[in-house]
Amino acid sequence: MPPIVAIRDLARFVGEQVTLQGWVTHRRSKGRIAFLVVRDGSGNCQAVASVQDVSADQFEQLARLTHESAVRLTGVVREDERAPGGFELQLAGVETVQLAEEYPIGRKEHGIEFLLDHRHLWLRHKGPWAVMRIRDEIVKACRDFMYERDFLLIDSPILTPAACEGTSTLFETDYFGAPAYLSQSGQLYVEPACIAHGKVYCFGPTFRAEKSDTRRHLTEFWMIEPEIAWAGLDEIMALAEQMISHIVARVLERRSEELAILERDTTKLESVTPPFPRLSYDDVAERLTRPDIVARAQQAGAPPFQPGSDLGALDETILGEMFDRPLIIHRYPTAVKAFYMEPDPERPDRALCMDIIAPEGYGEIIGGSQRIHDHELLARRIDENGLPEQAFRWYLDIRRFGTVPHAGFGMGIERLVAWISGARHTREAIPYPRTLRRLYP
Amino acid sequence: MPPIVAIRDLARFVGEQVTLQGWVTHRRSKGRIAFLVVRDGSGNCQAVASVQDVSADQFEQLARLTHESAVRLTGVVREDERAPGGFELQLAGVETVQLAEEYPIGRKEHGIEFLLDHRHLWLRHKGPWAVMRIRDEIVKACRDFMYERDFLLIDSPILTPAACEGTSTLFETDYFGAPAYLSQSGQLYVEPACIAHGKVYCFGPTFRAEKSDTRRHLTEFWMIEPEIAWAGLDEIMALAEQMISHIVARVLERRSEELAILERDTTKLESVTPPFPRLSYDDVAERLTRPDIVARAQQAGAPPFQPGSDLGALDETILGEMFDRPLIIHRYPTAVKAFYMEPDPERPDRALCMDIIAPEGYGEIIGGSQRIHDHELLARRIDENGLPEQAFRWYLDIRRFGTVPHAGFGMGIERLVAWISGARHTREAIPYPRTLRRLYP
């Protein structure tokens, strides 16, 4: 029996007989010669048989193979520059494991909704295959980055008794008679843990029952949230900048084949190195109220930016396009940001917070802040925001027993994946997207 | 300004002046000398000051420091074998960052419920600190193991339209007008992905709304689920055995300090090497019906094992104690297992499935199987089990387009963490446990 080999390992078997197990993506016959291309998850390989190489029955099998049929192919590996992947299999045997029914995804263009209805099959295709491999690399790069810098993983709970930032966008469930909500962020849970371990992070799915139906929104998405004791805004801006640069460099290094499949312009990724531009909210507000920018927003039909308010999606797009790398915007007005953010001591109507906007129109990928560590101030903010103090008692506790300045941020993985891989929608950046209109498959 | 240093790095600063930032865990004064022990998340360090080393005000501060107060200490690092961690700080300066209020967790014994009510603080203590560091290492070891073996991460969705194994133990939520359920397993979603990538896994939180209130049960727990195309029962038994052995070896190597803190008997972990014992369900049934085992179950007040039925918690405990390493039990009766398991061709009333039972009474840590890949058989099983065919249409699709034998398993992380760290309850193996009676903090 020849060894069963993955297509990615073919280079080690040139001149030898091997067996490949895979699925047919192309087939054509030219009289007495048949060509197949198979994929096996690790790569693609062309296989060739002339009528005398295999039995008559097997040659007939080859002619009948449909798209996505499962096959076991045996043959000798040959180097061939013209073949996809650089190697070709000279067939000596063919076994049809299953002849696929007529495959619903054809060569023609399908709309995104049709493709997502068939996501369980569409995952097999070149584009999604490459994006998922980039996603895998990004997630692993995040975790390696944290591990190597002594950040401890603290998984935060999904089922929570109270809302971190209001209840309007929460999914609710019955928890043995009491209401529970799906977590929007693990931040409240990593804060106590950073007092225990110094540097921690959580990394899991988070949920927003938002009625937004844009190409940037998912109702379920993954987020990594580092939290550091004895740190402030400067430390987390530096950490975020290093982390994003590290991830982009690693994808460029280890997933170049996938970026090429996606026809990603990698020169735009190569410029992603520290330092990132840093603008204060006030700098940004000044830019967004320039006549030419106002005119542009009006043309796009978006409401013009109002100084003092939060940034809109179009504002983020416009700002993102001004720079060749992610843009850090810091010190937003306290009034438009979350209750737990530390006010800037030099200007208390501004929060010690930052957002990072991806270039090329991918919007906000990071939001973070220094957290209020004073018990009295935090209790007042909880009260002013009409939040239930009882539910936040444990969170306030952290300010009673050894409270110290601490800071952290959350980075949304799907937007990062979409940006780095150049996908048009965030829904292409997660295996099974969940949106306002989609819970299937 | 002396450098701010983590306690784990003190060895590099012997004889030098440094600043430590941390929290007070012990304090005592002996006339003109004061001793402190501080923790900073990376370790513990003793600090000493005599009255002439620091200002009078600072010496008084030292005397007033309460448990868990936050401090900034400056002094010279000295090697001292008697000191915890092997180093001591000869104090030259003390800054009280916050004087903690009276700390609720004392030196006396507290019940587990009291401690879990204060989980946000209890995480700071030695035991939970060590368990969380072991959990971090186990999760990273899992992910490294997968990455190095070319398994691709495919995050499965939490919000799902249908039940994998019945609806009685599902958490339900309203998804913009339609019912959605929190996932009990990502298996259905990694199966299509293994046809795309060959070898994949998911690793995320899963949910069981079970009314079980035992020390093994959580309503929210993390699970890693590899799935392999062209594989059967033998391949996944081998993979599981290698994976568990790899994880245990890595924790022994990199978390020995934490195992020592927990007073874990590491000789019991050192025997965890391949091969693991493999017993068929029928072998197991024969053992469990021996008179001495039946008598033991009766003494423990448990119902005696009935051949043909699934194993109970006590059965798993008894079996687990018979071996010095995890036990693989394979080929359970089809009738007691999930609808999607491939029947054994040699004996169709037995499924090509396996469970792995941890030693020392920690119960089942892995469940897996070869999956039915024949369309007709799977459709019949879905029908026989009264499951809604419409919801499983996409899952059936995988059997229409290039179906091949495939297999996978799920490993519950909290039980693995509990076993390896020797914790008494799985609820100690996760930062913020969720159980029948607990949704807080």
Side-chain angles (χ1 to χ4, degrees):
Chain A
M1 281 279 292
I4 295 171
V5 168
I7 291 173
R8 80 158 65 76
D9 297 328
L10 281 182
R12 283 163 32 210
F13 294 89
V14 174
E16 293 176 45
Q17 195 169 66
V18 301
T19 295
L20 297 185
Q21 300 181 132
W23 294 268
V24 176
T25 64
H26 297 84
R27 181 189 55 72
R28 69 193 157 89
S29 297
K30 242 165 105 178
R32 298 163 63 80
I33 302 188
F35 296 89
L36 281 186
V37 179
V38 294
R39 60 166 191 85
D40 73 348
S42 81
N44 291 299
C45 179
Q46 180 170 288
V48 186
S50 67
V51 72
Q52 70 267 29
D53 293 336
V54 293
S55 71
D57 170 63
Q58 286 181 341
F59 197 78
E60 231 178 277
Q61 274 186 47
L62 282 174
R64 281 198 308 266
L65 283 174
T66 50
H67 190 201
E68 285 300 320
S69 287
V71 290
R72 205 172 270 125
L73 306 177
T74 297
V76 173
V77 181
R78 291 202 309 212
E79 219 155 347
D80 186 340
E81 277 183 20
R82 296 160 308 171
F87 301 94
E88 191 178 74
L89 200 68
Q90 177 68 46
L91 284 175
V94 180
E95 181 195 342
T96 305
V97 177
Q98 194 228 9
L99 199 66
E101 296 180 25
E102 194 182 351
Y103 191 65
I105 307 181
R107 301 274 183 267
K108 65 164 181 153
E109 284 284 314
H110 294 286
I112 179 82
E113 293 304 327
F114 177 88
L115 291 170
L116 288 175
D117 284 341
H118 295 85
R119 184 60 163 174
H120 53 294
L121 302 174
W122 190 33
L123 284 173
R124 306 175 180 190
H125 292 242
K126 267 288 179 200
W129 179 87
V131 175
M132 287 305 117
R133 284 180 57 81
I134 290 170
R135 179 186 171 100
D136 168 78
E137 193 65 43
I138 287 173
V139 171
K140 192 61 170 49
C142 285
R143 292 187 180 266
D144 289 349
F145 182 90
M146 291 282 114
Y147 185 82
E148 287 157 13
R149 282 157 189 79
D150 296 321
F151 281 76
L152 203 85
L153 174 67
I154 293 289
D155 291 305
S156 60
I158 305 300
L159 294 165
T160 60
C164 179
E165 301 180 33
T167 58
S168 62
T169 58
L170 288 172
F171 290 108
E172 183 179 334
T173 190
D174 171 63
Y175 194 80
F176 307 111
Y181 305 94
L182 303 194
S183 178
Q184 295 192 315
S185 159
Q187 179 202 320
L188 266 51
Y189 293 92
V190 287
E191 285 188 53
C194 85
I195 308 299
H197 291 278
K199 298 192 284 185
V200 299
Y201 72 107
C202 63
F203 195 172
T206 53
F207 303 86
R208 302 269 159 99
E210 266 181 291
K211 295 227 165 66
S212 304
D213 196 22
T214 81
R215 69 190 184 92
R216 288 182 190 164
H217 282 88
L218 295 169
T219 57
E220 177 179 335
F221 58 97
W222 284 66
M223 189 152 65
I224 181 167
E225 297 175 80
E227 189 77 26
I228 317 175
W230 308 97
L233 182 58
D234 287 343
E235 284 85 354
I236 59 164
M237 289 197 291
L239 180 74
E241 172 181 87
Q242 286 160 25
M243 189 161 160
I244 292 172
S245 305
H246 174 89
I247 292 164
V248 169
R250 183 153 147 183
V251 171
L252 282 169
E253 182 199 325
R254 301 196 191 178
R255 292 291 191 248
S256 59
E257 182 194 333
E258 290 78 5
L259 291 168
I261 287 170
L262 297 167
E263 298 175 9
R264 182 70 172 104
D265 179 355
T266 52
T267 59
K268 295 205 165 153
L269 297 175
E270 279 153 14
S271 58
V272 179
T273 54
F276 293 172
R278 286 163 165 74
L279 292 181
S280 73
Y281 173 87
D282 293 325
D283 294 337
V284 159
E286 190 273 319
R287 290 190 187 217
L288 289 174
T289 47
R290 286 183 200 162
D292 57 323
I293 303 291
V294 172
R296 199 177 142 192
Q298 278 171 337
Q299 269 174 4
F305 169 75
Q306 298 292 340
S309 67
D310 207 352
L311 303 182
L314 183 69
D315 302 322
E316 290 178 357
T317 300
I318 291 169
L319 290 164
E321 285 171 359
M322 291 179 181
F323 300 93
D324 66 346
R325 64 197 75 193
L327 164 65
I328 304 180
I329 306 174
H330 55 86
R331 293 181 172 80
Y332 285 67
T334 312
V336 304
K337 286 291 181 182
F339 72 91
Y340 50 71
M341 293 186 180
E342 179 78 10
D344 187 346
E346 293 177 17
R347 197 176 160 191
D349 65 332
R350 292 289 181 267
L352 292 177
C353 67
M354 60 111 181
D355 285 354
I356 300 187
I357 313 294
E360 302 176 66
Y362 285 90
E364 182 199 321
I365 47 174
I366 277 185
S369 71
Q370 185 172 329
R371 323 307 188 179
I372 293 174
H373 65 283
D374 181 72
H375 183 272
E376 196 192 333
L377 177 58
L378 185 63
R380 196 164 68 234
R381 286 286 167 84
I382 286 173
D383 184 51
E384 284 167 4
N385 280 268
L387 295 167
E389 201 193 314
Q390 183 57 23
F392 287 94
R393 189 169 47 82
W394 65 278
Y395 183 65
L396 279 161
D397 264 4
I398 303 308
R399 281 72 184 173
R400 296 168 59 206
F401 308 108
T403 189
V404 301
H406 59 288
F409 64 80
M411 180 168 74
I413 293 303
E414 284 72 19
R415 288 194 185 174
L416 192 73
V417 172
W419 163 48
I420 293 176
S421 60
R424 291 203 326 126
H425 295 83
T426 53
R427 65 194 80 164
E428 295 174 52
I430 187 166
Y432 297 94
R434 296 295 180 247
T435 64
L436 182 58
R437 294 171 208 286
R438 177 170 299 282
L439 183 63
Y440 177 95
Chain B
M1 280 279 290
I4 296 171
V5 168
I7 291 174
R8 78 158 66 76
D9 297 328
L10 281 181
R12 284 165 29 211
F13 295 88
V14 174
E16 293 177 45
Q17 194 168 66
V18 302
T19 295
L20 297 185
Q21 300 181 132
W23 295 268
V24 176
T25 64
H26 297 85
R27 181 190 54 74
R28 70 192 157 90
S29 297
K30 242 165 103 179
R32 299 164 63 80
I33 303 190
F35 296 88
L36 281 185
V37 179
V38 294
R39 59 166 192 85
D40 73 347
S42 81
N44 291 303
C45 179
Q46 180 170 288
V48 186
S50 67
V51 71
Q52 70 268 29
D53 293 337
V54 293
S55 72
D57 169 63
Q58 286 182 340
F59 198 76
E60 231 179 280
Q61 274 187 47
L62 283 174
R64 281 198 307 266
L65 284 174
T66 50
H67 190 198
E68 285 301 320
S69 286
V71 290
R72 206 172 270 124
L73 306 177
T74 297
V76 174
V77 181
R78 291 201 309 212
E79 219 156 347
D80 185 338
E81 278 184 17
R82 297 160 307 172
F87 300 95
E88 191 179 75
L89 200 68
Q90 177 68 47
L91 285 174
V94 180
E95 181 194 341
T96 305
V97 177
Q98 194 227 8
L99 198 65
E101 296 181 27
E102 193 182 352
Y103 192 65
I105 307 181
R107 301 277 183 267
K108 65 164 181 155
E109 284 283 313
H110 294 287
I112 179 81
E113 293 304 327
F114 177 88
L115 291 169
L116 288 175
D117 283 342
H118 295 85
R119 185 59 162 174
H120 52 294
L121 302 175
W122 189 34
L123 284 173
R124 307 176 179 189
H125 292 243
K126 268 287 178 200
W129 180 87
V131 174
M132 287 305 116
R133 286 181 56 81
I134 290 170
R135 180 186 170 99
D136 168 80
E137 193 64 44
I138 287 173
V139 171
K140 192 62 170 47
C142 285
R143 293 189 180 264
D144 289 347
F145 182 90
M146 291 282 113
Y147 185 83
E148 287 157 13
R149 282 158 190 78
D150 296 320
F151 281 76
L152 203 86
L153 175 67
I154 292 289
D155 291 305
S156 60
I158 305 300
L159 293 164
T160 61
C164 178
E165 301 181 32
T167 58
S168 63
T169 58
L170 287 172
F171 289 108
E172 183 177 333
T173 190
D174 171 63
Y175 194 81
F176 307 111
Y181 305 94
L182 303 193
S183 179
Q184 296 193 315
S185 160
Q187 180 201 320
L188 266 50
Y189 294 91
V190 286
E191 285 189 52
C194 86
I195 308 299
H197 291 278
K199 298 192 285 184
V200 298
Y201 72 106
C202 63
F203 194 172
T206 54
F207 302 86
R208 303 269 159 100
E210 265 181 291
K211 296 227 163 66
S212 304
D213 196 21
T214 81
R215 70 191 184 92
R216 289 183 190 164
H217 282 88
L218 295 168
T219 57
E220 177 179 335
F221 59 96
W222 283 66
M223 189 151 67
I224 180 168
E225 298 175 79
E227 190 77 26
I228 318 174
W230 308 95
L233 182 58
D234 287 342
E235 284 85 354
I236 59 164
M237 289 197 291
L239 180 74
E241 172 181 86
Q242 286 159 26
M243 189 163 160
I244 292 172
S245 305
H246 174 89
I247 293 164
V248 169
R250 182 152 148 184
V251 172
L252 282 169
E253 181 199 325
R254 301 196 192 178
R255 291 293 189 248
S256 59
E257 183 194 333
E258 291 77 6
L259 291 168
I261 287 170
L262 297 167
E263 298 176 7
R264 182 70 172 103
D265 179 355
T266 51
T267 59
K268 294 204 166 152
L269 297 175
E270 279 152 14
S271 58
V272 179
T273 53
F276 294 171
R278 286 163 164 76
L279 292 180
S280 73
Y281 173 87
D282 293 325
D283 294 337
V284 160
E286 189 271 320
R287 290 189 187 220
L288 288 174
T289 47
R290 285 183 200 164
D292 57 322
I293 302 291
V294 172
R296 196 176 144 192
Q298 278 171 338
Q299 269 175 2
F305 169 74
Q306 299 292 341
S309 68
D310 207 350
L311 303 182
L314 183 68
D315 302 323
E316 290 177 357
T317 300
I318 290 170
L319 289 164
E321 286 171 358
M322 290 180 181
F323 301 92
D324 66 345
R325 65 197 75 192
L327 165 65
I328 305 180
I329 305 175
H330 55 86
R331 295 182 171 78
Y332 285 66
T334 312
V336 303
K337 287 292 181 182
F339 73 89
Y340 49 70
M341 294 187 180
E342 178 79 10
D344 187 347
E346 292 178 15
R347 197 177 159 190
D349 65 333
R350 292 291 181 267
L352 291 177
C353 68
M354 61 109 181
D355 285 353
I356 300 188
I357 313 293
E360 302 177 65
Y362 284 91
E364 182 198 321
I365 47 176
I366 278 186
S369 70
Q370 185 172 328
R371 322 307 188 180
I372 294 174
H373 65 282
D374 181 73
H375 184 271
E376 196 192 332
L377 177 58
L378 185 63
R380 196 163 69 232
R381 284 286 169 83
I382 286 173
D383 184 50
E384 284 166 4
N385 280 267
L387 295 167
E389 200 192 311
Q390 183 56 23
F392 287 94
R393 188 170 49 83
W394 65 278
Y395 183 65
L396 279 161
D397 264 4
I398 304 308
R399 280 73 185 173
R400 296 169 60 207
F401 308 108
T403 189
V404 301
H406 59 288
F409 63 79
M411 180 166 75
I413 292 305
E414 285 71 19
R415 288 194 185 174
L416 192 72
V417 172
W419 161 49
I420 293 175
S421 60
R424 288 201 329 125
H425 295 84
T426 52
R427 65 194 79 163
E428 296 174 51
I430 188 166
Y432 297 93
R434 297 295 181 245
T435 63
L436 181 56
R437 293 171 209 285
R438 177 169 298 283
L439 183 63
Y440 176 95

